[in-house]
Amino acid sequence: MAKCRVFAIDDNLKEIVADGLYGKHLFGASVSVAVVKFVAEKGSDLPAKSHSHGEEASLQLVGACSVFESADSQQSDYESIMASGDALIIPAGALHYGSNRFGPEGVSMRLNVVTPARKEYGPEDSTPYYPLKSRAD
């Protein structure tokens, strides 16, 4: 029988980009949970590239962000603004990317829940994948 697992939000985060981006993830049978924490020192220069996956619920824990839904070349990208405490549902398959704004503590942090699970994150104990605009993959 499966057991419940506790997922501490701001504990044991893996460094993805030095002084800029930290994260971790956890998988269930059909869902993945990830925390992404941007730190203002280097995190303000780390935009995400446009990507898509299953349906995503995102909760802004600290700071703020804008999530942009990619449009075609005839329209501007649609912006959803998230303040601390706001949640957003991103439809499955929607091309999207984000931009952070930092709170007084110099942090922008979100909890993302995606179904089906995002296996591209890699094994749970590894440094998670994050779709940075500067990545070639």
Side-chain angles (χ1 to χ4, degrees), residues 34-102:
V35 171
V36 289
K37 180 179 184 179
F38 289 85
V39 179
E41 185 173 346
K42 300 252 176 96
S44 56
D45 296 325
L46 297 174
K49 68 180 172 184
S50 190
H51 61 284
S52 67
H53 44 67
E55 186 172 44
E56 177 177 355
S58 186
L59 172 61
Q60 186 72 34
L61 301 170
V62 180
C65 78
S66 289
V67 175
F68 298 91
E69 200 169 334
S70 300
D72 60 35
S73 61
Q74 305 299 312
Q75 299 177 2
S76 298
D77 292 351
Y78 179 77
E79 179 181 16
S80 295
I81 298 171
M82 293 175 64
S84 183
D86 285 350
L88 173 73
I89 300 288
I90 301 170
L95 280 171
H96 62 282
Y97 60 96
S99 174
N100 294 295
R101 287 183 299 288
F102 300 92

Side-chain angles (χ1 to χ4, degrees), residues 32 49 97 111 116 120 137:
S32 58
K49 68 180 172 184
Y97 60 96
L111 176 72
E120 72 269 23
D137 54 11

